[in-house]
Amino acid sequence: MTTFDHRDFDKPDEVREFDYGRVELLRFDDAREVGRLTLKPGWRWSTHVKPIAGTDLCQAPHFQYHVSGTLRVRMADGTEFDATPGQVTSLPEGHDAWVVGDEDVVVVDWWGATHYAERQ
């Protein structure tokens, strides 16, 4: 029998907050998770999440849809680009990122949110 699951980020299963940001997680019965990250102006991974992760660069791979704001990403090899609303990014581990401008960045992430900003 086929079943369905209809979820809403207004009622997340878990919320993790950190300086200038938060991630809201929805968990599904088949062990998949989807996260919505909201990052405030002034947020930078290497400043606000690195102390939680304990790694020099973000080691979470991401597959995410950019809802709002501008997120600048710098890969370990120095490649840098801006991700903007309507775009989808697939990022391997090994990157830094930060909010550009004065608008919140909101992304929906299908890969990297499960352990994002998870305190050990």
Side-chain angles (χ1 to χ4, degrees):
M1 174 183 227
T2 301
T3 61
F4 73 93
D5 198 348
H6 182 231
R7 309 299 304 283
D8 192 322
F9 278 114
D10 287 338
K11 297 178 184 176
D13 295 304
E14 183 180 352
V15 176
R16 294 185 200 129
E17 296 191 359
F18 43 90
D19 289 343
Y20 292 89
R22 66 187 279 142
V23 61
E24 300 154 300
L25 292 169
L26 299 178
R27 292 193 177 95
F28 293 84
D29 289 338
D30 60 1
R32 284 184 293 166
E33 292 184 334
V34 176
R36 178 172 66 183
L37 284 80
T38 302
L39 310 169
K40 302 281 185 193
W43 176 87
R44 185 173 183 135
W45 185 91
S46 56
T47 302
H48 300 105
V49 182
K50 178 180 177 176
I52 299 167
T55 58
D56 287 334
L57 295 171
C58 180
Q59 296 301 308
H62 299 283
F63 184 63
Q64 53 196 11
Y65 174 74
H66 296 263
V67 178
S68 65
T70 299
L71 185 68
R72 183 157 298 150
V73 178
R74 180 180 298 142
M75 303 304 298
D77 69 2
T79 302
E80 196 172 294
F81 65 93
D82 289 346
T84 58
Q87 295 182 336
V88 174
T89 54
S90 177
L91 302 175
E93 58 277 332
H95 56 272
D96 191 8
W98 57 94
V99 174
V100 174
D102 58 1
E103 182 180 0
D104 287 1
V105 166
V106 177
V107 299
V108 176
D109 195 330
W110 282 270
W111 283 353
T114 300
H115 298 292
Y116 194 84
E118 187 174 54
R119 298 187 189 277
Q120 301 300 323

